[in-house]
Amino acid sequence: MTTRFIILTLVLLSTFLVIFGQIVPQSEPNYDENKVPKFELPDPLTTFAGKKIKTPGKWIKERRPELLAFFSENVYGKVPCKIPVHQWEVVEQSDHALDGKACRKQVDLIFKKDNHALRFTILMYLPKEIEKAPLFLGYNFYGNHTITNDPNVLISPAWTRNNESLGIVNHQLTEASRGVRANRWPVEKIIHAGYGLATIFYCEVDPDRDDFSDGIHPFCYVEDQQIPAADEWGAISAWAWGLSRAMDYFEQDKDVDASKVIVFGHSRLGKTALWAGAQDERFSAVISNNSGCGGAALSKRRFGETIARINTAFPHWFCKNFNKYNDNEDALPVDQHELIALIAPRPVYVASAEKDLWADPRGEFLAAYFATPVYELFGKKGISSQEMPPVNQPIHNTVAYHIRSGEHDVTDFDWEQYIKWANKQLLNK
Ligand code: GCU
């Protein structure tokens, strides 16, 4: 071995550490507000060419499309082809769910193209006494059968990460995990409030692993393509695509009020909900629960998880072009407040948790604050002060925010706020 080779190896080893099979940058994440670097945030109301946007019309025609294109080609990746729902199939339904308070439907959306086939199941609970129910739609992490103890919910055969404590062995979900995430999905509360709940196991759309040969991605490959091109969809974009296909289904389900579908997501699925809501204006409101880096949190703060960290630990989530901004946030001509602004004028809720520093609660709050000028352009109320509200004291404007006590999670407190806010924003209650 030459000395040069040894030195190079040592440099590489000191830059990266391999932990649990994932390469992560070795330096400690920053959790100190005093060490947040100085940065300049792009103005959502100034175009890339420097033109000021002063009317909703100009926002819609000029600024929104260029921001959307930037996020699409450089952050999440664009969906390279159209894949319509080939067919849907109600695989199970009952009028006697939740002790007779709700109807349950399990509907498979089926996709076919060339020799590719994929299906995913939407589990729906709908309040009985409402003819066309407004709906919360959100992905779940471990299978539809984990969100409730209802024995009739089908177990997905999709690949997932092993997790013995959740009863996932040989990458398969099992009966042992029925109801294990019921704490995050207060189905009865949602039904009682007059909303339906629809949920999908996200790995059915695209398994959450750095492998682009499975899930929906291969549907769009041309000739010998094996991975998406640099500006094409990563997993978050694929999951967001799945939410829009669920919306295609809701538009023709007579039991659903498709004009009142609120897309919700926690953590990586909160990033997904924001991206789905930014692109698809049929979602009437969006909820980001503890979505953090690449979700609601401002990247340029480099607090907690950073672009380099997320792209290293989860190389399949974003498009390859996003790697250009690893440890290079200053070069990024957008930030996540503009992702939130893309949802305007529709209601958006950003929620943080006090102990979830990895997701940068302050960065999430500031993104909601800096998205506000776009909402104000439409005469809507957002976050008017740069001062964070006290813990557990929500702000329920068109742009809403809360930081609750506790950890990275979805709690009853979170859901109570979402229901209250949705009542006000969508139902005028
Ligand atoms: C990791 C990741 C986060 C993500 C979270 C989750 O912690 O770093 O970005 O939000 O997983 O989805 O659970």
Side-chain angles (χ1 to χ4, degrees):
M1 259 200 276
T2 65
T3 322
R4 261 170 78 187
F5 181 77
I6 295 170
I7 291 172
L8 184 70
T9 314
L10 284 175
V11 169
L12 283 176
L13 273 179
S14 61
T15 317
F16 293 105
L17 262 188
V18 179
I19 299 176
F20 303 126
Q22 287 172 348
I23 300 171
V24 294
Q26 197 187 10
S27 62
E28 286 300 310
N30 176 41
Y31 293 124
D32 181 350
E33 202 53 45
N34 296 317
K35 290 193 183 140
V36 169
K38 281 213 164 20
F39 60 89
E40 224 173 281
L41 266 196
D43 174 10
L45 292 176
T46 302
T47 66
F48 292 134
K51 191 173 153 192
K52 295 262 176 242
I53 297 294
K54 296 192 177 124
T55 64
K58 293 266 189 235
W59 164 264
I60 291 165
K61 270 215 201 84
E62 292 177 30
R63 182 63 169 149
R64 189 174 186 282
E66 70 170 14
L67 278 174
L68 201 54
F70 187 88
F71 278 102
S72 180
E73 288 156 23
N74 298 284
V75 182
Y76 304 102
K78 62 186 187 204
V79 181
C81 71
K82 275 213 156 35
I83 314 161
V85 182
H86 173 74
Q87 193 188 332
W88 46 75
E89 198 180 306
V90 179
V91 286
E92 191 272 347
Q93 66 180 327
S94 161
D95 290 341
H96 304 289
L98 306 181
D99 299 325
K101 288 186 223 98
C103 302
R104 180 187 59 242
K105 271 198 225 189
Q106 300 184 72
V107 182
D108 275 11
L109 301 196
I110 299 165
F111 302 87
K112 284 195 174 140
K113 199 172 167 219
D114 308 324
N115 55 346
H116 304 295
L118 184 122
R119 63 163 70 204
F120 61 81
T121 307
I122 312 176
L123 166 66
M124 299 165 76
Y125 288 99
L126 297 168
K128 249 188 174 166
E129 70 285 3
I130 295 178
E131 213 178 301
K132 268 182 164 309
L135 198 68
F136 287 99
L137 164 68
Y139 278 121
N140 62 74
F141 275 83
Y142 294 109
N144 293 349
H145 73 301
T146 62
I147 75 134
T148 154
N149 288 306
D150 183 341
N152 299 293
V153 177
L154 303 165
I155 299 180
S156 164
W159 181 97
T160 191
R161 269 174 321 248
N162 283 338
N163 185 329
E164 259 179 54
S165 66
L166 292 177
I168 305 168
V169 279
N170 296 328
H171 301 289
Q172 288 301 302
L173 302 166
T174 63
E175 189 58 45
S177 44
R178 188 172 298 280
V180 291
R181 277 293 179 273
N183 57 312
R184 286 188 176 175
W185 299 91
V187 187
E188 304 225 352
K189 205 181 276 233
I190 293 169
I191 294 292
H192 185 70
Y195 292 85
L197 173 68
T199 186
I200 303 160
F201 175 41
Y202 79 131
C203 289
E204 289 204 322
V205 176
D206 188 37
D208 192 357
R209 57 176 162 179
D210 187 17
D211 176 343
F212 285 102
S213 68
D214 56 13
I216 196 66
H217 290 99
F219 277 64
C220 292
Y221 289 159
V222 290
E223 286 167 34
D224 293 332
Q225 192 176 1
Q226 273 161 14
I227 54 165
D231 63 349
E232 289 178 354
W233 51 351
I236 292 175
S237 190
W239 299 324
W241 168 89
L243 293 170
S244 286
R245 300 296 69 78
M247 189 69 206
D248 295 344
Y249 167 75
F250 299 141
E251 282 189 314
Q252 62 71 56
D253 184 330
K254 59 175 180 30
D255 299 329
V256 170
D257 181 350
S259 73
K260 293 189 175 63
V261 176
I262 306 152
V263 64
F264 155 88
H266 169 62
S267 211
R268 70 197 68 182
L269 302 176
K271 309 180 208 295
T272 302
L274 286 168
W275 181 228
Q279 296 176 91
D280 191 336
E281 295 177 276
R282 295 173 300 169
F283 291 118
S284 61
V286 182
I287 299 170
S288 146
N289 193 90
N290 308 178
S291 64
C293 179
L298 293 176
S299 300
K300 290 177 192 277
R301 278 171 50 79
R302 305 183 198 187
F303 189 102
E305 189 171 31
T306 59
I307 296 178
R309 281 174 192 280
I310 205 165
N311 280 335
T312 312
F314 305 97
H316 57 294
W317 281 4
F318 298 86
C319 72
K320 289 284 170 267
N321 277 341
F322 198 38
N323 287 299
K324 290 186 213 159
Y325 304 101
N326 292 349
D327 296 319
N328 188 24
E329 286 83 349
D330 289 343
L332 195 59
V334 299
D335 209 332
Q336 299 304 105
H337 61 308
E338 291 169 317
L339 175 70
I340 297 172
L342 284 171
I343 297 162
R346 292 163 293 146
V348 62
Y349 201 132
V350 175
S352 309
E354 198 182 11
K355 292 193 180 152
D356 186 17
L357 294 183
W358 181 241
D360 186 13
R362 182 159 177 77
E364 294 179 316
F365 169 76
L366 287 175
Y369 170 77
F370 285 111
T372 291
V374 180
Y375 279 82
E376 288 174 343
L377 191 69
F378 285 90
K380 303 281 182 190
K381 227 171 146 188
I383 306 295
S384 52
S385 160
Q386 259 196 71
E387 213 36 46
M388 281 178 82
V391 171
N392 299 331
Q393 291 191 30
I395 302 172
H396 283 178
N397 295 330
T398 307
V399 183
Y401 179 81
H402 74 236
I403 176 163
R404 69 158 162 75
S405 44
E407 315 273 347
H408 186 72
D409 199 357
V410 193
T411 68
D412 274 8
F413 175 87
D414 293 321
W415 275 107
E416 280 155 21
Q417 306 320 311
Y418 301 151
I419 290 168
K420 242 194 227 166
W421 168 78
N423 282 346
K424 182 172 159 191
Q425 297 297 331
L426 298 185
L427 308 182
N428 301 315
K429 284 212 273 205

